[in-house]
Amino acid sequence: MVQYKGQKIKDNLIMNKQYLKQEWFLTTEVLPSEVPMFFSNLPIKNNLENLMNLIPTDNKDFNEKFNDKYTIPLHYEIPKNNGSYRTISLMHPSSQLKFLLYIMKYEYLLINFLQKSKFNIRKVQKANTITYTEKKALDKTLLKIEQDFGLTGNNSITNEELDYFYKTYFTYNKDHYLANILNSPSFNRDSLRYRFFAKLDIQNFFGSIYTHSITWAIVGDKHLGKEYSKSSLKNTFASQSDIVQQKSNDNETNGIIIGPEINRVIADIILTQCDYNIEKKLNQQNINFNKDYKIYRFVDDYYIFSSKYEILEMIEQEISKELSNFNLKLNLEKHQIKEQPFSLADSSIVQLKHILNTFNNLRELKALKLSNNTNAIEKYRQLLTNNSEKYSISNAKIIIKEFAWNNLYNAIRNIISEIPSSKRRVVLYFLNSISLEIYEPIFINQETIKYKKKFYEYLRTINTALDQINNIYSIHPDYDTTKSYTLILLIFRSSISKLRLAINNKEEAFIINSEKYLSDIENRIFDNIYRILKDNSNRINNISDLIVYLKFFDKKLSSQFLCQLLDENSEDYNTLCAIGYYIIGDGSRYRVVLNYLFKLILNFTKNYKTHTYCQLDDAKYFYILNDFLYYPEFQNLRIGNQFAKDILQDYKKTELDKLGGNSNLYYLILNELMTQSYFNWNLQEADFIQEHFLKKLPNRKDFSYIVY
């Protein structure tokens, strides 16, 4: 079992009480969820007091010396169901700081404004109370993680850490996840109460937002909103809600960046005002909310129920008119109208649930069969625990026959073939619903011939299960499916470790002969991941954490393959960091890779062109240069007469000097933002396990990570 050797998460959570709430905001609101596992805002949080002391209190100085500076975000693409890609953006650290200052000043005005909408079902209610409270569910999860992964004593995950990851900065409606809403009692009642239903969505919502229209929405009038461009009104809530978006996105007024939660919250200002105006205009026509119609708006999707078709048409017209006032329009291609009786269920997920229920029933039958083998079960119980009362057979750990896994894979492929748009949903639902662990008492203390047959049969089944889970994941590998896929493997490999430990402690003979086979299983996992990486070699950024994970295997990726990945993703921050992390501490094996990595970083630093005066204002340049300044393998790598780190330090100094040195406020702020790496090079396998589980927690309705 791996022991905790890395930097403790709890060390990362030692917060200055003065800025506890602000540091929380920097954790939950400004980063897209699709950042590498070992990426964090610690450099900002650790220096927050110094940064706050630098911020001018005078509005004129604040705007001229800091707030009016614009930055370029780091853009990367994530795959969509239809084969196209959606652009996600990581804000520049100085822009993240601006959003923090915006929230510190206007939080209550923002929250109060968002209460105007009766339609919004993902509405911010208030700012969370930032306290470390006891939660029964969290305690249960804590215990489970500690038991499964040996993170006990000083190495344990504290309740505070779990609470830290569980909470978000804002409190939303009770059921603010779409799946919860669509299955809620109120939604189901309305689906029966009203005769007609329509689903509408806004075409390219975030990309179509004209940032000035945020001001229009707040003041309630387009022409009045234009007055807020005047310098005398620049420091108002209305004007700053526009400016903070512009300055974070290359000074653009068309579109806002996608990824940070705070951008979704601010964008909701526009739709909140639309909701308010739509309800008001319908009331004037004697069409009343909660009587003649019901609207559920989830971000930019409208779910509309009405008693009459004519009313449905009028509602759609009013929505379209109101959106046009803000330069937005409906996506007519996704327009749906249904009449009772109708079903709103996702047919692909309904089919998948049926398939998984059948699959689970097979596991239950196998468990019943095994339960008759009392001698084997008793033997296995003795190996794993001394407390018989706590031992029980889990269906999740039952490995069923090969044909069942093959049939499961084929059934899932058929669903996706029939409904191509369901690809991501189906893959993600499957990965979140399946578990794989080694559990098999029947081959212990059996006759040699019978034992070998059973054991080889068992190994084939395990390999088939691993292959089919890998095949299903490979249908749509993105950031979220990768997290779920890796979680399955973490649990599975932990079960292998526990089996080894239990049987070795009892000196069971069969494990001696079986070690090779267990190692072969590990190698198979490695080979499956390698195949995924190879098949997606030119677009690794979404699955770069798989490279990090492979560092914790005995088997190693070849230098040739790593150089190929570097070559095909030479300016991708996620890939560069993942490969950089993979070769840490293995310089002799990967000397060629290390040299090639530095060559790419140096060429990028020398030749990267951007239109900002200081290249450090471009987040791509900022993160790559800054984080590799602190890269451990560059500290002692000599290039000619210089260390690699010193060569990069010279480029940092050159860019900072463009700002005028210590006399320039922006110079001082950037310098504070560059005191350490945003990618944590020092984390270990135990940290990877912890981070993985903790980041998954907010996405689950309960805290049980074994479903089947």
Side-chain angles (χ1 to χ4, degrees), residues 349 352 412 416 422-432 472-477 481 484:
I349 300 301
L352 180 58
I412 288 175
I416 294 172
S422 70
K423 182 165 51 176
R424 182 181 184 276
R425 297 194 305 276
V426 168
V427 172
L428 189 58
Y429 189 94
F430 167 78
L431 294 174
N432 284 338
I472 294 169
Y473 161 66
S474 68
I475 293 172
H476 193 87
T481 58
S484 299

Side-chain angles (χ1 to χ4, degrees), residues 10 13 24 131-134 138-139 142 157-166:
K10 67 183 73 174
L13 300 176
W24 201 288
T131 59
Y132 296 129
T133 59
E134 295 292 324
L138 291 174
D139 289 339
L142 164 62
I157 307 171
T158 67
N159 188 83
E160 289 86 354
E161 292 163 10
L162 283 169
D163 201 37
Y164 181 78
F165 274 87
Y166 173 66

